[in-house]
Amino acid sequence: MKKEAIVLLNMGGPNNLDEVEVFLKNMFNDKNILTFKSDFLRSILANLITFSRAEKSQGIYREIGGSSPIVSHTRNLVERLQSRVGNGVVVDFAMRYTPPYAEEAIERLNREEIDRIYLIPLYPQYSTTTTKSSLEDFEEVYLEFGGDAILSEIKHFFQNQTFNRAIIERIKEAVGDDPCSEFDIIFSAHGLPQKIIDNGDVYEQHINRHVEILSNLLKDEGMDFHEIHLAYQSKVGPMKWLKPSLEEKLEYIRNRGVIIYPISFTIDNSETDYELDIEYRELAHEFGFKHYRVCRCLNDSDIFVDALAEIYHKMQ
């Protein structure tokens, strides 16, 4: 009988403070992040960025317990998805910039003599900086290790109905028993430099379409927020990035209650646990918000596990 595997892919995050520099150096050496043709120039700039940001980044991870939660959440997700699909399918995961890397997952899969591997990047919307990077990395390493299984991949899943139902449930958790009309909701997406979009990356198109889908679902659920917004977070450097920024959007809303949903993330990480839940919470306090609530990512929620199992079965 042929044996199959599901491998979940994500960017990763430091498992301890010593890995912060590893994370930064690997990320900025990625040709899909810094798009220089010269590997030498990219390496020099990556080292400079790492040197300039390492101390501040370590401070951020200290604030959230000394590590990124992304690996532990993903391990839990893998265990729950394994239970859902059964022992006939091997479920594993690999991170792009920190351990466990693709090599570790591939070594395990090769021992299992897998015939087909289904690659599911945990980025709902496609981007060259995330989806393409993770898929390329796994596939290149798999060939280096002499793997001969058939590789099947999915490049985005923001239109999956079960996945979007999981998001609506997270938003309901954040609203609680309060009337939606007392809140604005902001779908906060990780930003990208405008030049990457101008070079053909479809990420912004996918984000816009996803907000439209979720807005319609909220309406169908009778969740009538005062207003629905899209904003972008996590800008670094002087380059022009996608707009509006989350700071600009919060300043525009001011004083009202607001729900933040991290639309481009499926697993909690420093951008959600620190940037949204600590840094922007302080800004919201300065702006006089009555309520500032950040939705948890889907992590290993029941409906997200359902969605991933459904995505796997549709790939077969």
Side-chain angles (χ1 to χ4, degrees):
M1 182 178 292
K2 291 186 177 182
K3 202 168 186 181
E4 296 183 340
I6 301 169
V7 179
L8 307 179
L9 305 176
N10 212 333
M11 67 169 49
N15 295 287
N16 52 62
L17 294 178
D18 291 336
E19 281 187 4
V20 170
E21 289 191 30
V22 174
F23 175 68
L24 294 172
K25 188 172 289 188
N26 285 342
M27 180 168 61
F28 290 109
N29 267 297
D30 186 345
K31 63 181 181 294
N32 292 291
I33 302 291
L34 294 181
T35 56
F36 297 116
K37 292 182 179 179
S38 168
D39 292 340
F40 177 70
L41 290 176
R42 186 185 307 109
S43 177
I44 290 176
L45 186 54
N47 287 334
L48 289 172
I49 294 172
T50 299
F51 177 78
S52 66
R53 296 187 62 185
E55 186 173 347
K56 181 180 179 181
S57 294
Q58 285 176 339
I60 288 171
Y61 287 104
R62 282 192 190 95
E63 287 278 326
I64 58 173
S67 65
S68 171
I70 196 168
V71 172
S72 60
H73 284 315
T74 306
R75 288 191 194 280
N76 293 338
L77 177 61
V78 165
E79 289 176 7
R80 299 202 64 199
L81 183 57
Q82 181 70 76
S83 297
R84 186 65 53 86
V85 298
N87 293 329
V89 181
V90 175
V91 182
D92 212 322
F93 75 105
M95 297 298 184
R96 180 69 177 90
Y97 304 127
T98 56
Y101 297 117
E103 289 93 333
E104 298 176 44
I106 290 166
E107 286 179 342
R108 289 191 292 269
L109 294 175
N110 283 347
R111 289 196 295 270
E112 295 280 349
E113 298 182 347
I114 302 295
D115 296 291
R116 183 184 289 270
I117 300 172
Y118 295 89
L119 301 175
I120 305 179
L122 294 177
Y123 317 108
Q125 309 87 15
Y126 179 87
S127 174
T128 56
T129 60
T130 52
T131 319
K132 177 175 179 283
S133 177
S134 287
L135 287 171
E136 281 183 348
D137 176 62
F138 187 93
E139 290 166 1
E140 287 172 5
V141 175
Y142 190 70
L143 291 176
E144 288 174 8
F145 274 67
D148 59 359
I150 297 171
L151 301 181
S152 299
E153 61 187 41
I154 186 169
K155 293 185 176 179
H156 60 82
F157 53 88
F158 69 90
Q159 293 167 305
N160 180 275
Q161 293 181 358
T162 307
F163 168 67
N164 286 319
R165 186 160 55 87
I167 292 176
I168 298 301
E169 290 304 310
R170 278 293 196 244
I171 295 171
K172 286 180 178 179
E173 289 176 7
V175 174
D177 295 328
D178 297 316
C180 290
S181 58
E182 293 185 2
F183 296 88
D184 283 30
I185 184 168
I186 302 176
F187 291 106
S188 184
H190 196 290
L192 278 183
Q194 185 63 48
K195 77 167 190 175
I196 290 178
I197 301 299
D198 293 342
N199 287 337
D201 195 301
V202 298
Y203 176 72
E204 184 182 22
Q205 296 176 43
H206 282 190
I207 290 289
N208 287 334
R209 177 63 182 134
H210 198 188
V211 170
E212 181 183 345
I213 290 169
L214 292 171
S215 298
N216 289 333
L217 286 175
L218 290 172
K219 183 178 179 181
D220 292 342
E221 290 285 328
M223 300 177 71
D224 297 320
F225 287 95
H226 178 269
E227 199 169 348
I228 297 174
H229 310 268
L230 167 63
Y232 293 93
Q233 64 182 91
S234 308
K235 180 182 185 298
V236 293
M239 297 176 63
K240 181 180 178 183
W241 278 49
L242 290 170
K243 284 185 167 288
S245 70
L246 183 53
E247 182 175 352
E248 291 169 336
K249 190 58 71 171
L250 288 172
E251 187 171 14
Y252 164 76
I253 297 172
R254 299 184 77 95
N255 301 324
R256 294 198 291 272
V258 66
I259 304 288
I260 308 290
Y261 186 82
I263 191 172
S264 56
F265 301 104
T266 53
I267 308 291
D268 278 313
N269 57 83
S270 65
E271 281 93 348
T272 59
D273 284 7
Y274 178 80
E275 189 176 356
L276 292 181
D277 210 22
I278 297 177
E279 194 172 34
Y280 280 106
R281 183 179 299 280
E282 293 173 357
L283 184 62
H285 179 72
E286 291 174 14
F287 287 158
F289 277 83
K290 182 180 179 182
H291 298 289
Y292 176 85
R293 301 178 187 175
V294 178
C295 298
R296 293 181 299 145
C297 285
L298 301 182
N299 297 324
D300 63 340
S301 71
D302 288 341
I303 308 179
F304 187 39
V305 174
D306 290 342
L308 291 173
E310 183 179 302
I311 288 165
Y312 156 66
H313 288 302
K314 287 184 176 179
M315 292 172 70
Q316 291 179 296

